[in-house]
Amino acid sequence: MRKFKIPKPPVSSTKSIRFPNTVIEQVEEAIRGTDCTFTAFVVEAVRVALENLAEDDGEA
């Protein structure tokens, strides 16, 4: 069994990104009624996109 360790928040930086208003509205609709923040949604979406790109590169 893995030993419990108190997690450390990941190092992060602030980055300003411009989104089309329609994308903002779609994200806000998707997270409405959840505990998810806009930032958490975008970070996860980018992670998945990067994984998909890496998988696509591996298939070539």
Side-chain angles (χ1 to χ4, degrees):
M1 178 190 299
R2 192 164 59 115
K3 216 173 174 184
F4 178 78
K5 293 181 183 179
I6 296 174
K8 294 181 184 177
V11 177
S12 64
S13 301
T14 301
K15 192 77 171 173
S16 295
I17 303 172
R18 292 185 181 269
F19 288 95
N21 290 337
T22 55
V23 172
I24 292 170
E25 292 165 3
Q26 289 175 317
V27 171
E28 289 176 342
E29 177 63 27
I31 64 175
R32 189 169 289 125
T34 71
D35 289 335
C36 186
T37 64
F38 188 93
T39 298
F41 183 95
V42 171
V43 168
E44 183 61 16
V46 171
R47 283 185 177 141
V48 171
L50 291 170
E51 287 175 14
N52 289 344
L53 287 173
E55 289 172 4
D56 289 349
D57 285 347
E59 292 176 8

